[in-house]
Amino acid sequence: MIKIKEKIENYLNNENIKSALKLVRKLNKKSSYYFYYMAQIKRMMGFMKEAEKYYLKAIKGGLKLEKQDYLDCLLKLASISRSFGLKHQSLKYLNMAFKIDPQNTNVILEKAMYFRMIGDFDNSIKVMNTLLKKYRREKDFQGISYILWAKGGIYRLSGKLKLSISSYRSAYHYSLKAKDLSLKIYSLLGLAGVMRISGDVKSSLKTYLKAKKYISKNDIFASAYVYCGIGNSLRQMGDLDNALKNYKKSYLLYLKTGDFLDLGLVLWGIGECYKRKGKFSSALKYFNKASGLFNKGFEPRGKILNMMSIAQIYYLTGNIKKGRKIYDLAYSLSRKNNLSTYLEIFT
């Protein structure tokens, strides 16, 4: 069992999912480690809903994991809940992990990411900077890259675009030192996103395409993410038909993963294309679908962008009063959540 676990871990570390899956299928289908490793594989492929089910089975009842693996399950469940915008659920798993090992670096890191999620950027940065010092002392390039990537996202959300670009570039640099493919891809994706909203759309598209070359066919989530990003850049460049083609590819992939919040952002992008084509009724149809998804979880950025797009539709069709009301609500929501990304609507 120990030897099989070591082989599975090695395969997963090298992102050799197919080889890992073959070994996992040799395990007892009722064992906690079968569920644990199936969860790890599903998560790496981007199937978060399926991963969540397996993690829950791995920690259930009399099934036993080693302490660190049990802790890892709780942290992964906190992370998945965070990606679904489920604040209370994410905090519940984080608190369970904290009780087991409050000094654990990964627990502290998840705490920083929780702060990031709820818009408490000052506390998030504070915790991340403490961890960054530790990782630098230890020359933990993977840890350094992850922190810089996370900080890049915070700077983007708070409108500090130059700092965001710098952080993502540094994250990419350290991902190469760490030889971490996932961090390499997501550093590029983060960088491309900030380039786009800061006006450097050609560089943004080029960076998305660069990231796309590194993404495995098995990584459904990253594939969905990059197609959405390419769609965003093409939309901003005015190539609406090709933008729609990429959004639709992203939409089909996000459907597979069950990631309804990112699916909402894709629907918003599709709606923006139709709005710019002057097809307001079609645009409003997609914006309303996106609203339904954003209401399922905590995703203020997407909700704000979508509300402002809806407001623009009402302005453009002559209903100034209703447009003003929705616009004011969106702006109020952005201030409440400490966000500056509502400015993306103007790009």
Side-chain angles (χ1 to χ4, degrees), residues 184-260:
K184 181 179 178 180
I185 291 167
Y186 284 99
S187 297
L188 288 171
L189 292 175
L191 178 61
V194 185
M195 284 175 166
R196 180 180 63 78
I197 62 172
S198 61
D200 191 0
V201 191
K202 287 184 179 179
S203 294
S204 171
L205 182 58
K206 186 178 177 181
T207 305
Y208 277 125
L209 293 172
K210 182 179 179 179
K212 186 173 181 287
K213 291 178 183 177
Y214 300 122
I215 297 173
S216 162
K217 289 180 181 179
N218 291 322
D219 193 340
I220 306 299
F221 179 82
S223 297
Y225 194 118
V226 79
Y227 280 123
C228 182
I230 291 169
N232 283 331
S233 291
L234 291 171
R235 168 178 55 81
Q236 206 166 316
M237 294 169 76
D239 189 353
L240 301 179
D241 289 335
N242 279 319
L244 283 167
K245 286 178 184 177
N246 279 277
Y247 281 135
K248 287 171 182 177
K249 286 179 183 178
S250 179
Y251 179 83
L252 292 173
L253 290 169
Y254 274 132
L255 274 181
K256 289 183 180 180
T257 69
D259 185 340
F260 54 87

Coordinates of all heavy atoms in Angstrom, one line a residue, residues 184-260:
K184 N 2.8 27.8 -13.6 CA 3.3 28.4 -14.9 C 2.1 28.9 -15.7 O 2.0 30.0 -16.2 CB 4.1 27.4 -15.7 CG 4.7 27.9 -17.0 CD 5.5 26.8 -17.6 CE 6.1 27.2 -19.0 NZ 6.9 26.1 -19.5
I185 N 1.1 28.0 -15.9 CA -0.1 28.2 -16.7 C -0.9 29.3 -16.0 O -1.3 30.3 -16.7 CB -0.9 27.0 -16.8 CG1 -0.2 26.0 -17.7 CG2 -2.3 27.3 -17.4 CD1 -0.8 24.6 -17.7
Y186 N -1.2 29.2 -14.7 CA -2.1 30.2 -14.1 C -1.4 31.6 -13.9 O -2.1 32.6 -13.8 CB -2.6 29.6 -12.8 CG -3.7 28.6 -13.1 CD1 -3.4 27.2 -13.0 CD2 -5.0 29.0 -13.4 CE1 -4.4 26.3 -13.4 CE2 -6.0 28.1 -13.7 CZ -5.7 26.8 -13.7 OH -6.7 25.9 -14.1
S187 N -0.1 31.6 -13.8 CA 0.6 32.9 -13.8 C 0.4 33.6 -15.1 O 0.1 34.8 -15.2 CB 2.1 32.7 -13.5 OG 2.3 32.2 -12.2
L188 N 0.5 32.8 -16.2 CA 0.3 33.4 -17.5 C -1.2 33.9 -17.7 O -1.4 34.9 -18.3 CB 0.7 32.4 -18.6 CG 2.2 32.1 -18.8 CD1 2.4 31.0 -19.7 CD2 2.9 33.4 -19.3
L189 N -2.1 33.1 -17.2 CA -3.5 33.4 -17.4 C -3.8 34.7 -16.6 O -4.6 35.5 -17.0 CB -4.4 32.2 -16.9 CG -4.4 31.0 -17.8 CD1 -5.2 29.9 -17.1 CD2 -4.9 31.3 -19.2
G190 N -3.3 34.8 -15.4 CA -3.5 36.0 -14.6 C -2.9 37.2 -15.2 O -3.6 38.2 -15.3
L191 N -1.7 37.0 -15.7 CA -1.0 38.1 -16.4 C -1.8 38.6 -17.6 O -2.0 39.8 -17.9 CB 0.4 37.7 -16.8 CG 1.2 38.7 -17.6 CD1 1.5 40.0 -16.8 CD2 2.6 38.1 -18.0
A192 N -2.3 37.6 -18.4 CA -3.1 38.0 -19.6 C -4.3 38.8 -19.3 O -4.7 39.7 -20.0 CB -3.4 36.7 -20.4
G193 N -5.0 38.4 -18.2 CA -6.2 39.1 -17.8 C -6.0 40.5 -17.4 O -6.7 41.4 -17.8
V194 N -4.9 40.8 -16.7 CA -4.6 42.2 -16.2 C -4.1 43.0 -17.4 O -4.4 44.2 -17.5 CB -3.5 42.2 -15.1 CG1 -3.3 43.6 -14.6 CG2 -4.0 41.3 -14.0
M195 N -3.3 42.4 -18.3 CA -2.9 43.1 -19.5 C -4.1 43.6 -20.3 O -4.2 44.7 -20.8 CB -2.1 42.2 -20.4 CG -0.7 42.0 -20.0 SD 0.1 40.7 -21.0 CE 1.9 41.0 -20.5
R196 N -5.1 42.7 -20.4 CA -6.3 43.0 -21.2 C -7.1 44.2 -20.6 O -7.4 45.2 -21.3 CB -7.3 41.8 -21.2 CG -8.6 42.1 -22.0 CD -9.4 40.8 -22.0 NE -9.9 40.5 -20.6 CZ -10.8 41.1 -20.0 NH1 -11.5 42.1 -20.5 NH2 -11.2 40.7 -18.8
I197 N -7.3 44.2 -19.3 CA -8.1 45.3 -18.7 C -7.3 46.6 -18.5 O -7.9 47.6 -18.3 CB -8.7 44.9 -17.3 CG1 -7.7 44.5 -16.3 CG2 -9.7 43.7 -17.5 CD1 -8.2 44.3 -14.9
S198 N -6.0 46.5 -18.6 CA -5.1 47.7 -18.6 C -4.9 48.3 -20.0 O -4.3 49.3 -20.1 CB -3.8 47.4 -17.9 OG -3.1 46.4 -18.6
G199 N -5.5 47.6 -21.0 CA -5.5 48.2 -22.4 C -4.5 47.5 -23.3 O -4.6 47.8 -24.5
D200 N -3.6 46.7 -22.9 CA -2.7 46.0 -23.8 C -3.3 44.7 -24.3 O -2.8 43.6 -23.9 CB -1.4 45.8 -23.0 CG -0.2 45.4 -23.9 OD1 -0.4 45.3 -25.1 OD2 0.9 45.1 -23.4
V201 N -4.3 44.8 -25.1 CA -5.1 43.7 -25.5 C -4.3 42.7 -26.4 O -4.4 41.5 -26.3 CB -6.4 44.1 -26.2 CG1 -7.3 43.0 -26.4 CG2 -7.1 45.2 -25.5
K202 N -3.4 43.2 -27.3 CA -2.7 42.4 -28.2 C -1.7 41.5 -27.4 O -1.6 40.3 -27.6 CB -1.9 43.2 -29.2 CG -2.7 43.8 -30.3 CD -1.9 44.5 -31.3 CE -2.8 45.1 -32.4 NZ -2.0 45.9 -33.4
S203 N -1.0 42.1 -26.4 CA -0.2 41.3 -25.5 C -1.0 40.3 -24.7 O -0.5 39.1 -24.4 CB 0.6 42.2 -24.6 OG 1.5 43.0 -25.3
S204 N -2.2 40.7 -24.3 CA -3.1 39.8 -23.5 C -3.4 38.5 -24.4 O -3.2 37.4 -23.9 CB -4.3 40.5 -23.2 OG -5.3 39.6 -22.7
L205 N -3.8 38.7 -25.6 CA -4.2 37.6 -26.5 C -2.9 36.7 -26.7 O -3.0 35.5 -26.6 CB -4.7 38.1 -27.8 CG -5.1 37.1 -28.8 CD1 -6.2 36.2 -28.2 CD2 -5.6 37.7 -30.1
K206 N -1.8 37.3 -26.9 CA -0.6 36.6 -27.1 C -0.2 35.7 -25.9 O 0.2 34.6 -26.0 CB 0.6 37.5 -27.4 CG 1.9 36.9 -27.8 CD 2.9 38.0 -28.1 CE 4.3 37.3 -28.4 NZ 5.3 38.3 -28.7
T207 N -0.4 36.3 -24.7 CA -0.1 35.5 -23.5 C -1.1 34.4 -23.2 O -0.8 33.3 -22.8 CB -0.1 36.5 -22.3 OG1 0.8 37.6 -22.6 CG2 0.3 35.8 -21.0
Y208 N -2.4 34.6 -23.5 CA -3.4 33.6 -23.4 C -3.0 32.4 -24.4 O -3.1 31.2 -24.0 CB -4.8 34.1 -23.8 CG -5.6 34.7 -22.7 CD1 -6.1 36.0 -22.9 CD2 -5.8 34.1 -21.5 CE1 -6.8 36.7 -21.8 CE2 -6.5 34.7 -20.5 CZ -7.0 36.0 -20.7 OH -7.6 36.6 -19.6
L209 N -2.6 32.7 -25.6 CA -2.3 31.7 -26.5 C -1.0 30.9 -26.1 O -0.9 29.7 -26.3 CB -2.1 32.3 -27.9 CG -3.3 32.9 -28.6 CD1 -3.0 33.6 -29.9 CD2 -4.3 31.7 -28.9
K210 N -0.1 31.6 -25.5 CA 1.1 31.0 -24.9 C 0.7 30.0 -23.8 O 1.2 28.9 -23.8 CB 2.1 32.1 -24.4 CG 3.4 31.5 -23.8 CD 4.3 32.7 -23.3 CE 5.6 32.1 -22.7 NZ 6.4 33.2 -22.2
A211 N -0.2 30.4 -22.9 CA -0.6 29.6 -21.9 C -1.3 28.3 -22.4 O -1.2 27.2 -21.9 CB -1.6 30.3 -20.9
K212 N -2.1 28.5 -23.5 CA -2.9 27.5 -24.1 C -2.0 26.3 -24.5 O -2.4 25.1 -24.4 CB -3.7 28.0 -25.2 CG -4.7 27.0 -25.9 CD -5.5 27.8 -26.9 CE -6.5 26.8 -27.6 NZ -5.9 25.9 -28.5
K213 N -0.8 26.6 -25.0 CA 0.1 25.6 -25.5 C 0.6 24.6 -24.4 O 0.9 23.5 -24.6 CB 1.4 26.3 -26.0 CG 1.2 27.0 -27.3 CD 2.5 27.7 -27.8 CE 2.2 28.5 -29.1 NZ 3.5 29.2 -29.5
Y214 N 0.5 25.1 -23.1 CA 1.0 24.3 -22.0 C -0.1 23.5 -21.3 O 0.1 22.6 -20.5 CB 1.6 25.1 -20.9 CG 2.8 25.9 -21.4 CD1 2.9 27.3 -21.3 CD2 3.9 25.3 -22.0 CE1 4.0 28.0 -21.7 CE2 5.0 26.0 -22.4 CZ 5.0 27.4 -22.3 OH 6.1 28.1 -22.7
I215 N -1.4 23.7 -21.7 CA -2.5 23.1 -21.0 C -2.8 21.7 -21.6 O -3.0 21.6 -22.8 CB -3.8 24.0 -21.1 CG1 -3.5 25.3 -20.4 CG2 -5.0 23.3 -20.5 CD1 -4.6 26.3 -20.6
S216 N -2.9 20.7 -20.7 CA -3.2 19.4 -21.1 C -4.7 19.2 -21.5 O -5.5 19.9 -20.9 CB -2.8 18.4 -20.0 OG -3.5 17.2 -20.1
K217 N -5.0 18.3 -22.3 CA -6.4 18.0 -22.7 C -7.1 17.5 -21.5 O -8.4 17.6 -21.4 CB -6.5 17.0 -23.8 CG -6.0 17.6 -25.2 CD -6.1 16.5 -26.2 CE -5.6 17.1 -27.6 NZ -5.7 16.0 -28.7
N218 N -6.4 16.9 -20.5 CA -7.0 16.4 -19.3 C -7.5 17.5 -18.3 O -8.3 17.3 -17.5 CB -6.1 15.5 -18.6 CG -5.9 14.2 -19.3 OD1 -6.8 13.7 -19.9 ND2 -4.6 13.7 -19.3
D219 N -6.9 18.7 -18.5 CA -7.2 19.8 -17.6 C -8.3 20.6 -18.1 O -8.2 21.6 -18.8 CB -5.9 20.7 -17.4 CG -6.1 21.7 -16.2 OD1 -7.2 21.9 -15.8 OD2 -5.1 22.2 -15.7
I220 N -9.6 20.2 -17.8 CA -10.8 20.8 -18.4 C -11.0 22.2 -17.9 O -11.3 23.1 -18.6 CB -12.0 19.9 -18.0 CG1 -11.8 18.5 -18.4 CG2 -13.3 20.5 -18.6 CD1 -11.6 18.2 -19.9
F221 N -10.7 22.4 -16.6 CA -10.9 23.8 -16.0 C -10.0 24.8 -16.7 O -10.4 25.9 -17.1 CB -10.6 23.8 -14.5 CG -10.8 25.1 -13.9 CD1 -12.1 25.6 -13.6 CD2 -9.7 25.9 -13.7 CE1 -12.2 26.8 -13.0 CE2 -9.9 27.2 -13.1 CZ -11.1 27.6 -12.8
A222 N -8.7 24.5 -16.8 CA -7.7 25.4 -17.4 C -8.1 25.7 -18.9 O -8.0 26.8 -19.4 CB -6.3 24.9 -17.3
S223 N -8.6 24.6 -19.6 CA -9.0 24.8 -21.0 C -10.2 25.8 -21.1 O -10.2 26.6 -21.9 CB -9.3 23.4 -21.6 OG -8.2 22.6 -21.6
A224 N -11.1 25.6 -20.2 CA -12.3 26.5 -20.1 C -11.9 27.9 -19.8 O -12.4 28.8 -20.5 CB -13.3 26.0 -19.1
Y225 N -11.0 28.0 -18.9 CA -10.5 29.3 -18.5 C -9.8 30.1 -19.7 O -10.0 31.3 -19.9 CB -9.5 29.2 -17.3 CG -9.1 30.4 -16.6 CD1 -9.4 30.5 -15.2 CD2 -8.5 31.5 -17.2 CE1 -9.1 31.6 -14.5 CE2 -8.1 32.6 -16.5 CZ -8.4 32.7 -15.1 OH -8.1 33.8 -14.4
V226 N -8.9 29.3 -20.4 CA -8.2 30.0 -21.4 C -9.1 30.4 -22.6 O -8.9 31.5 -23.2 CB -7.0 29.1 -21.9 CG1 -7.4 28.0 -22.8 CG2 -5.9 30.0 -22.6
Y227 N -10.1 29.5 -22.9 CA -11.0 29.9 -24.0 C -11.8 31.1 -23.6 O -12.1 32.0 -24.5 CB -11.9 28.7 -24.4 CG -11.3 27.7 -25.2 CD1 -11.2 26.4 -24.8 CD2 -10.7 28.0 -26.5 CE1 -10.6 25.4 -25.6 CE2 -10.1 27.1 -27.3 CZ -10.1 25.8 -26.9 OH -9.5 24.8 -27.7
C228 N -12.2 31.2 -22.4 CA -12.9 32.4 -21.9 C -12.0 33.7 -22.0 O -12.5 34.7 -22.5 CB -13.4 32.2 -20.5 SG -14.4 33.6 -19.9
G229 N -10.8 33.5 -21.6 CA -9.8 34.6 -21.7 C -9.6 35.1 -23.1 O -9.6 36.3 -23.4
I230 N -9.4 34.1 -24.0 CA -9.2 34.5 -25.4 C -10.5 35.2 -26.0 O -10.4 36.2 -26.7 CB -9.0 33.2 -26.3 CG1 -7.6 32.6 -25.9 CG2 -9.0 33.5 -27.8 CD1 -7.3 31.2 -26.5
G231 N -11.7 34.7 -25.6 CA -12.9 35.3 -25.9 C -13.0 36.8 -25.4 O -13.4 37.7 -26.2
N232 N -12.5 37.0 -24.2 CA -12.5 38.3 -23.6 C -11.6 39.3 -24.5 O -12.0 40.4 -24.8 CB -12.0 38.3 -22.2 CG -13.1 37.8 -21.2 OD1 -14.3 38.0 -21.5 ND2 -12.7 37.2 -20.1
S233 N -10.4 38.8 -24.8 CA -9.5 39.6 -25.6 C -10.0 39.9 -27.0 O -10.0 41.1 -27.4 CB -8.1 38.9 -25.7 OG -7.5 38.9 -24.4
L234 N -10.6 38.9 -27.6 CA -11.1 39.1 -29.0 C -12.3 40.1 -28.9 O -12.5 40.9 -29.8 CB -11.5 37.8 -29.6 CG -10.3 36.8 -29.9 CD1 -10.9 35.5 -30.3 CD2 -9.5 37.4 -31.1
R235 N -13.1 39.9 -27.9 CA -14.3 40.8 -27.8 C -13.8 42.3 -27.6 O -14.3 43.2 -28.3 CB -15.1 40.5 -26.5 CG -16.1 41.5 -26.1 CD -16.9 41.1 -24.9 NE -16.1 40.7 -23.8 CZ -15.6 41.6 -22.9 NH1 -15.8 42.9 -23.1 NH2 -14.9 41.2 -21.9
Q236 N -12.8 42.5 -26.8 CA -12.2 43.8 -26.6 C -11.6 44.4 -27.8 O -11.6 45.6 -28.0 CB -11.2 43.7 -25.4 CG -11.0 45.1 -24.7 CD -10.3 44.9 -23.4 OE1 -10.6 43.9 -22.7 NE2 -9.4 45.8 -23.1
M237 N -11.1 43.5 -28.7 CA -10.5 43.9 -30.0 C -11.5 44.2 -31.0 O -11.2 44.6 -32.1 CB -9.5 42.9 -30.4 CG -8.3 42.7 -29.5 SD -7.3 41.3 -29.9 CE -6.4 41.8 -31.4
G238 N -12.8 43.8 -30.7 CA -13.9 44.0 -31.7 C -14.1 42.8 -32.6 O -15.0 42.9 -33.5
D239 N -13.4 41.7 -32.4 CA -13.6 40.5 -33.2 C -14.7 39.7 -32.6 O -14.4 38.6 -32.0 CB -12.3 39.8 -33.4 CG -12.4 38.6 -34.4 OD1 -13.5 38.3 -34.9 OD2 -11.3 38.0 -34.6
L240 N -15.9 40.1 -32.7 CA -17.0 39.6 -31.9 C -17.4 38.1 -32.3 O -17.7 37.3 -31.5 CB -18.2 40.5 -32.0 CG -18.0 41.9 -31.5 CD1 -19.3 42.7 -31.7 CD2 -17.6 41.9 -30.0
D241 N -17.3 37.8 -33.6 CA -17.7 36.5 -34.0 C -16.7 35.4 -33.5 O -17.1 34.4 -33.0 CB -17.8 36.4 -35.6 CG -18.9 37.2 -36.1 OD1 -19.9 37.4 -35.4 OD2 -18.9 37.7 -37.3
N242 N -15.4 35.7 -33.6 CA -14.4 34.8 -33.0 C -14.5 34.7 -31.5 O -14.2 33.7 -30.9 CB -13.0 35.1 -33.6 CG -12.8 34.6 -34.9 OD1 -13.2 33.5 -35.3 ND2 -12.2 35.4 -35.8
A243 N -14.8 35.9 -30.9 CA -15.0 35.9 -29.5 C -16.1 34.9 -29.1 O -15.9 34.1 -28.1 CB -15.3 37.3 -29.0
L244 N -17.2 35.0 -29.8 CA -18.3 34.1 -29.5 C -18.0 32.6 -29.6 O -18.4 31.8 -28.8 CB -19.5 34.4 -30.4 CG -20.3 35.7 -30.0 CD1 -21.3 36.1 -31.1 CD2 -21.1 35.5 -28.7
K245 N -17.2 32.3 -30.6 CA -16.7 30.9 -30.8 C -15.9 30.4 -29.6 O -16.1 29.3 -29.2 CB -15.9 30.8 -32.1 CG -16.7 30.9 -33.4 CD -15.7 30.9 -34.6 CE -16.5 31.1 -35.9 NZ -15.6 31.1 -37.1
N246 N -15.0 31.3 -29.1 CA -14.2 30.9 -28.0 C -15.1 30.8 -26.7 O -14.9 29.9 -25.9 CB -13.1 31.8 -27.8 CG -11.9 31.5 -28.8 OD1 -11.1 30.6 -28.5 ND2 -11.9 32.2 -29.9
Y247 N -16.0 31.7 -26.5 CA -16.9 31.7 -25.4 C -17.7 30.4 -25.3 O -17.9 29.8 -24.3 CB -17.8 32.9 -25.4 CG -17.3 34.2 -24.9 CD1 -17.5 35.4 -25.6 CD2 -16.5 34.3 -23.7 CE1 -17.0 36.6 -25.1 CE2 -16.0 35.5 -23.3 CZ -16.2 36.6 -24.0 OH -15.7 37.8 -23.5
K248 N -18.1 30.0 -26.5 CA -19.0 28.8 -26.6 C -18.2 27.5 -26.3 O -18.7 26.6 -25.7 CB -19.7 28.7 -27.9 CG -20.8 29.8 -28.0 CD -21.5 29.9 -29.3 CE -22.6 31.0 -29.3 NZ -23.2 31.3 -30.6
K249 N -16.9 27.5 -26.7 CA -16.0 26.4 -26.3 C -15.9 26.4 -24.8 O -15.9 25.3 -24.2 CB -14.7 26.6 -27.0 CG -14.6 26.3 -28.5 CD -13.3 26.5 -29.0 CE -13.2 26.2 -30.6 NZ -11.9 26.5 -31.1
S250 N -15.6 27.6 -24.2 CA -15.5 27.7 -22.8 C -16.7 27.2 -22.1 O -16.7 26.5 -21.1 CB -15.1 29.1 -22.4 OG -15.0 29.3 -21.0
Y251 N -17.9 27.6 -22.6 CA -19.2 27.3 -22.0 C -19.4 25.8 -21.8 O -19.7 25.3 -20.8 CB -20.3 27.9 -22.8 CG -21.7 27.6 -22.3 CD1 -22.2 28.4 -21.3 CD2 -22.4 26.6 -22.8 CE1 -23.5 28.1 -20.8 CE2 -23.7 26.3 -22.3 CZ -24.3 27.1 -21.3 OH -25.5 26.8 -20.9
L252 N -19.1 25.1 -22.9 CA -19.3 23.6 -22.9 C -18.3 22.9 -21.9 O -18.7 21.9 -21.3 CB -19.0 23.1 -24.4 CG -20.1 23.5 -25.4 CD1 -19.6 23.1 -26.8 CD2 -21.5 22.9 -25.1
L253 N -17.1 23.5 -21.8 CA -16.2 22.9 -20.9 C -16.6 23.2 -19.4 O -16.5 22.3 -18.6 CB -14.8 23.4 -21.1 CG -14.1 22.9 -22.5 CD1 -12.9 23.7 -22.8 CD2 -13.8 21.4 -22.4
Y254 N -17.0 24.4 -19.1 CA -17.4 24.7 -17.8 C -18.7 23.9 -17.4 O -18.8 23.6 -16.2 CB -17.7 26.2 -17.6 CG -16.5 27.0 -17.3 CD1 -16.2 28.2 -18.0 CD2 -15.6 26.7 -16.3 CE1 -15.0 29.0 -17.7 CE2 -14.5 27.4 -16.0 CZ -14.2 28.6 -16.7 OH -13.1 29.3 -16.4
L255 N -19.5 23.6 -18.3 CA -20.7 22.8 -18.1 C -20.2 21.4 -17.5 O -20.8 20.8 -16.6 CB -21.5 22.5 -19.3 CG -22.6 23.6 -19.7 CD1 -23.3 23.1 -20.9 CD2 -23.6 23.8 -18.5
K256 N -19.1 20.9 -18.1 CA -18.6 19.6 -17.6 C -18.0 19.7 -16.2 O -18.2 18.7 -15.4 CB -17.5 19.1 -18.5 CG -17.9 18.7 -19.9 CD -16.7 18.2 -20.7 CE -17.1 17.7 -22.1 NZ -16.0 17.2 -22.9
T257 N -17.4 20.8 -15.8 CA -16.8 20.9 -14.5 C -17.8 21.2 -13.4 O -17.6 21.0 -12.3 CB -15.7 22.0 -14.5 OG1 -16.4 23.3 -14.6 CG2 -14.7 21.9 -15.6
G258 N -19.0 21.8 -13.8 CA -20.0 22.2 -12.8 C -19.6 23.5 -12.1 O -20.2 23.8 -11.1
D259 N -18.7 24.3 -12.7 CA -18.3 25.5 -12.1 C -19.3 26.6 -12.6 O -19.1 27.3 -13.6 CB -16.9 25.9 -12.6 CG -16.3 27.1 -11.9 OD1 -17.1 28.0 -11.5 OD2 -15.1 27.3 -11.9
F260 N -20.4 26.8 -11.8 CA -21.4 27.7 -12.3 C -21.1 29.2 -12.2 O -21.6 30.0 -13.0 CB -22.7 27.4 -11.5 CG -22.6 27.5 -10.0 CD1 -22.7 28.7 -9.3 CD2 -22.3 26.4 -9.2 CE1 -22.6 28.8 -8.0 CE2 -22.2 26.5 -7.9 CZ -22.3 27.7 -7.2

